[in-house]
Amino acid sequence: MIRSSLAARMFAYFIIVIVISSSIVGFVLYLQSSKEVDKQTNELLTQIVDNAMNHTDMYLKKYDRATLSMLTSTNVKDFLNLDNNNFVSYFLSIRPMKEKVIQPIFINNPEISMVYLIGYNGLSVYDYNKEMTDFSQSLLLEKLESLKGITNNDGKLTIMDWSFLDGKLALTRKISDRQTSKVFKGILGIELNIEELTSLWKGIHLGETGYFYIVNDKGKIVYHPKSEMIGTHVNDKLLTKLKENQNQIFNYKEDVERVHFNRRSDYSGWTLVASMPLDELRAPVLNIRKTTLYTCAIALLVALLLAYQFGQSIIRPIKLLVSGMRRTEKGDWTHVAISGRTDEMDRLIVSYNMMVSRLQELMEQVYAEELKNKEYLLKRQAAEFQALQLQINPHFLYNTLETIVCYAVVQDSQEIKEIVRSLSYMLRYSVRADLEEITVANELKHVMHFMNIMNYRLGHTFEVEVLIPPELLLKKMVRLSLQPLVENVFKHAFPDGIESHHRIIIDAFVDHDDFVVTVTDNGIGIPPDRLNQLQTRLTAQQTQIGLPEREQREGGIGLVNVHSRIQIVFGEKYGLAVSNNEFDTGTKFILRMPSKNDEVGLLL
């Protein structure tokens, strides 16, 4: 017996040690390798972006120096100070400008496609390489104001995001007739082949699907390994991420999740970005993790095979016991066969079989009692509701009233016809014994027919004021709950007759999860002792079944009847409440029902 228990513990301990040790080794190895990969990735991307930025800045500074050489030329100074009305001097200055100023720039920088100078005096001059086609000189002056607003006011070189020639990179700067002067008199611009710059970046390799690209401050792509992307704009979300995460690595997901690293060049204003797929960066770590998992799995498998024979004699009875428990959970009270060995497992199985037998007996008793209680409850609720319903179901009068209507039509008595029609509708409405959904609109229609009869009895028209919002008219409520309250008002609130100042108001609102309907009058109110007696009866949830006949007559079909039917349908937390008005004479009846009821009569 000691050996059997020890075998089970050793088997469990052996598995736990292998799993824990393998998990710790794998977890630590995975974390360490992830840190190293992240560190190497950061260093790699930083080095690539820094090298690209340095080469780019150096290349652009060459053109900065090329344009600076023009600022010392006397031809440029004279051109900027020419009178735009002196056409002779202007035409005489064009040739020296091209030969002495612009052509040397082309010789030293053959990649430049065009050089132009636009003076604030309205004069312009330009020249281009022989392979370029001519274009309208008037376009230069048309763009002067735009170039003034875009070009830096400090006299430094500005990299444009558009150019006069398609597919070119445009560089501009404001110039004056003296080097130290900040009073600018013109704009000098050069346009060069973008391919000259792209040669600096084509050697950057970022794996199979990684790439390097450049965007300006407006999000326009200056360089991209895919030529069709050059000139397009990155989406606003990515541009915001680039600005918020300069000089650091961040993840961004488009089609796939990618790692980005970017730096902005203070000289060019360009943001240079290196991007690689996260999966590609994590590939070495995933390989290490897979290797660790495979190693741990093999070690665990060997351990299990070694421990299998040792613990088989213990595991088999446990499996039988677990199988029996599972069948018992499904309601199949199964006894587990003992192995015949007098050890702890056999004694445990014997105890389990005794427990199953006892539980089976107890469950059968509980189930029988539950069925009996449920049947009793259903019969009690059905009988109670039917008894309440029978008080308002004079069905035998319905056909008789239809006959009276026919006679009223023959005798051409409109009053009798309307009274009997209304009464017939009310009886038809009350005869229905089912629990179908009844809306507030249905109840108000029933009240309308009741008032039609009452107006004939009163001898004049008395209108009930309905203030219920239209969106609440389709709310569900218990049938025959409003008309008894209105009838109660006529019987008790105005004992001296109906006057012009008398009011009956029906309103409704939603109070949190409750739907509340109120019936208010400005009659004499209820005496305090009578009000306390009525509130006590409502609180005690008494019905009118068994009440004295005099009380039933005084209450019509009865306020307590309405209260009881609401509780039968919706539950004991709902029902009818009654009180006198606090700031005026009269009585207020409050019907409280659930606001989110999908089906009237759900509790039944």
Side-chain angles (χ1 to χ4, degrees):
M1 290 184 291
I2 295 177
R3 186 173 57 189
S4 299
S5 301
L6 183 60
R9 289 198 299 272
M10 289 181 63
F11 180 70
Y13 295 157
F14 192 56
I15 296 176
I16 292 172
V17 169
I18 294 295
V19 171
I20 292 177
S21 60
S22 301
S23 300
I24 292 175
V25 172
F27 182 71
V28 172
L29 183 61
Y30 177 72
L31 287 181
Q32 190 62 30
S33 59
S34 297
K35 290 181 180 178
E36 290 298 325
V37 170
D38 290 341
K39 180 179 178 181
Q40 293 179 5
T41 301
N42 195 359
E43 293 176 353
L44 173 65
L45 296 180
T46 302
Q47 183 179 5
I48 290 174
V49 173
D50 284 347
N51 289 337
M53 184 173 66
N54 291 333
H55 282 82
T56 302
D57 289 349
M58 290 177 60
Y59 198 82
L60 293 175
K61 287 177 181 178
K62 181 178 71 170
Y63 301 108
D64 194 353
R65 292 190 295 270
T67 56
L68 281 175
S69 64
M70 296 181 63
L71 303 181
T72 60
S73 173
T74 57
N75 297 92
V76 174
K77 296 178 182 179
D78 294 340
F79 184 83
L80 294 175
N81 291 312
L82 283 175
D83 184 359
N84 62 351
N85 294 320
N86 190 346
F87 294 104
V88 175
S89 298
Y90 168 63
F91 287 111
L92 290 176
S93 66
I94 291 178
R95 184 172 181 178
M97 282 286 296
K98 290 183 178 181
E99 292 179 350
K100 296 181 180 181
V101 179
I102 298 178
Q103 289 299 328
I105 295 179
F106 286 146
I107 295 172
N108 296 325
N109 303 278
E111 67 277 6
I112 295 179
S113 301
M114 183 175 69
V115 177
Y116 57 87
L117 175 63
I118 311 173
Y120 292 174
N121 55 7
L123 302 177
S124 64
V125 62
Y126 71 95
D127 200 1
Y128 46 84
N129 277 336
K130 58 183 179 180
E131 72 273 9
M132 300 301 299
T133 58
D134 197 0
F135 76 103
S136 175
Q137 185 173 1
S138 62
L139 184 61
L140 293 174
L141 296 176
E142 290 177 4
K143 293 292 185 178
L144 177 59
E145 293 301 323
S146 176
L147 290 171
K148 284 183 181 180
I150 298 174
T151 306
N152 293 329
N153 291 321
D154 55 3
K156 293 183 179 180
L157 197 67
T158 301
I159 300 175
M160 305 287 288
D161 61 354
W162 58 270
S163 61
F164 288 105
L165 305 177
D166 293 336
K168 306 300 178 182
L169 178 65
L171 308 176
T172 62
R173 73 185 321 152
K174 292 181 179 179
I175 60 175
S176 63
D177 57 352
R178 290 181 293 116
Q179 277 188 307
T180 58
S181 175
K182 294 297 181 181
V183 179
F184 300 111
K185 293 189 175 183
I187 293 177
L188 173 63
I190 63 174
E191 296 193 2
L192 52 94
N193 294 324
I194 193 68
E195 289 80 8
E196 298 296 327
L197 281 174
T198 59
S199 62
L200 298 174
W201 309 313
K202 287 183 178 178
I204 298 176
H205 183 66
L206 293 173
E208 296 181 0
T209 56
Y211 53 83
F212 171 82
Y213 64 99
I214 300 176
V215 297
N216 61 17
D217 288 339
K218 296 182 179 179
K220 183 178 180 181
I221 297 177
V222 178
Y223 167 76
H224 197 283
K226 296 180 180 179
S227 58
E228 64 271 15
M229 296 296 294
I230 298 176
T232 63
H233 287 75
V234 298
N235 62 66
D236 295 338
K237 186 176 180 182
L238 177 56
L239 182 60
T240 302
K241 294 280 286 186
L242 290 172
K243 293 180 178 179
E244 292 176 349
N245 297 275
Q246 287 189 7
N247 304 324
Q248 60 184 350
I249 289 179
F250 68 93
N251 293 353
Y252 181 76
K253 186 174 183 180
E254 292 178 307
D255 297 333
V256 296
E257 189 166 6
R258 304 182 68 90
V259 175
H260 292 71
F261 178 82
N262 74 100
R263 280 198 180 174
R264 184 181 182 277
S265 171
D266 294 332
Y267 178 76
S268 64
W270 287 348
T271 299
L272 291 78
V273 188
S275 174
M276 294 183 67
L278 182 62
D279 292 341
E280 190 172 324
L281 289 175
R282 293 296 182 187
V285 179
L286 294 177
N287 291 333
I288 295 174
R289 184 172 64 179
K290 288 180 181 178
T291 303
T292 304
L293 290 176
Y294 291 152
T295 303
C296 293
I298 292 173
L300 182 60
L301 180 60
V302 172
L304 291 176
L305 291 175
L306 293 175
Y308 177 75
Q309 293 297 329
F310 183 72
Q312 189 60 229
S313 59
I314 303 301
I315 295 175
R316 186 179 294 110
I318 293 177
K319 288 184 176 179
L320 292 175
L321 190 59
V322 170
S323 178
M325 289 180 179
R326 289 177 177 173
R327 288 200 296 256
T328 300
E329 288 177 356
K330 297 177 181 179
D332 182 10
W333 302 97
T334 303
H335 291 74
V336 179
I338 60 177
S339 63
R341 297 175 301 178
T342 57
D343 56 9
E344 292 94 336
M345 292 305 303
D346 270 1
R347 289 198 294 272
L348 180 61
I349 291 174
V350 170
S351 299
Y352 169 75
N353 290 338
M354 292 177 61
M355 180 188 68
V356 168
S357 299
R358 181 58 180 160
L359 285 175
Q360 184 177 6
E361 294 175 1
L362 292 175
M363 288 298 295
E364 289 176 354
Q365 293 177 7
V366 170
Y367 184 68
E369 290 295 328
E370 198 174 272
L371 287 178
K372 186 184 298 183
N373 290 337
K374 184 179 293 186
E375 184 179 359
Y376 170 75
L377 180 62
L378 290 175
K379 288 182 178 179
R380 181 179 178 277
Q381 289 183 337
E384 185 178 7
F385 189 82
Q386 188 177 18
L388 292 170
Q389 195 73 21
L390 287 174
Q391 298 180 37
I392 53 174
N393 281 344
H395 183 58
F396 65 93
L397 292 177
Y398 178 70
N399 291 331
T400 303
L401 291 174
E402 288 293 333
T403 303
I404 295 175
V405 170
C406 293
Y407 278 104
V409 172
V410 173
Q411 297 296 327
D412 196 19
S413 176
Q414 186 66 24
E415 294 81 359
I416 296 176
K417 177 182 177 182
E418 290 183 3
I419 293 173
V420 175
R421 279 293 187 192
S422 296
L423 182 59
S424 175
Y425 173 84
M426 293 178 65
L427 289 175
R428 179 192 294 270
Y429 189 73
S430 65
V431 162
R432 292 157 56 181
D434 55 341
L435 288 177
E436 68 227 11
E437 295 181 349
I438 298 300
T439 63
V440 175
N442 295 136
E443 280 296 290
L444 291 176
K445 186 176 180 181
H446 187 62
V447 172
M448 179 191 71
H449 287 285
F450 171 75
M451 288 305 304
N452 190 27
I453 296 173
M454 287 300 301
N455 286 334
Y456 281 106
R457 290 178 58 187
L458 296 174
H460 60 86
T461 300
F462 180 87
E463 293 186 358
V464 175
E465 299 180 30
V466 179
L467 305 180
I468 299 177
E471 63 270 16
L472 300 181
L473 292 177
L474 297 181
K475 286 285 187 180
K476 305 300 185 301
M477 62 186 302
V478 176
R479 185 160 47 88
L480 292 177
S481 53
L482 278 182
Q483 181 266 332
L485 302 183
V486 176
E487 182 181 0
N488 188 80
V489 172
F490 278 103
K491 286 187 176 182
H492 302 288
F494 313 126
D496 298 328
I498 304 297
E499 302 294 339
S500 60
H501 65 276
H502 286 149
R503 297 285 185 275
I504 300 177
I505 302 174
I506 301 177
D507 198 358
F509 58 91
V510 175
D511 182 16
H512 299 291
D513 293 331
D514 293 345
F515 174 53
V516 180
V517 180
T518 62
V519 178
T520 308
D521 65 75
N522 60 349
I524 63 173
I526 304 176
D529 55 343
R530 176 63 178 168
L531 179 61
N532 291 335
Q533 180 183 1
L534 181 58
Q535 291 175 340
T536 301
R537 190 182 306 168
L538 293 175
T539 303
Q541 301 177 9
Q542 297 175 356
T543 67
Q544 283 192 319
I545 300 175
L547 291 178
E549 183 179 353
R550 179 181 61 83
E551 292 190 17
Q552 294 190 31
R553 288 197 305 269
E554 290 178 357
I557 66 171
L559 302 178
V560 183
N561 185 299
V562 174
H563 175 69
S564 298
R565 286 188 292 110
I566 293 176
Q567 289 194 329
I568 289 174
V569 173
F570 293 120
E572 294 183 358
K573 63 180 292 188
Y574 304 101
L576 171 67
V578 58
S579 64
N580 285 327
N581 290 336
E582 296 181 3
F583 306 105
D584 198 358
T585 59
T587 308
K588 185 175 185 179
F589 298 99
I590 303 172
L591 296 171
R592 188 172 293 274
M593 293 156 286
S595 176
K596 299 179 180 179
N597 48 78
D598 295 326
E599 184 177 349
V600 173
L602 181 63
L603 297 180
L604 289 180

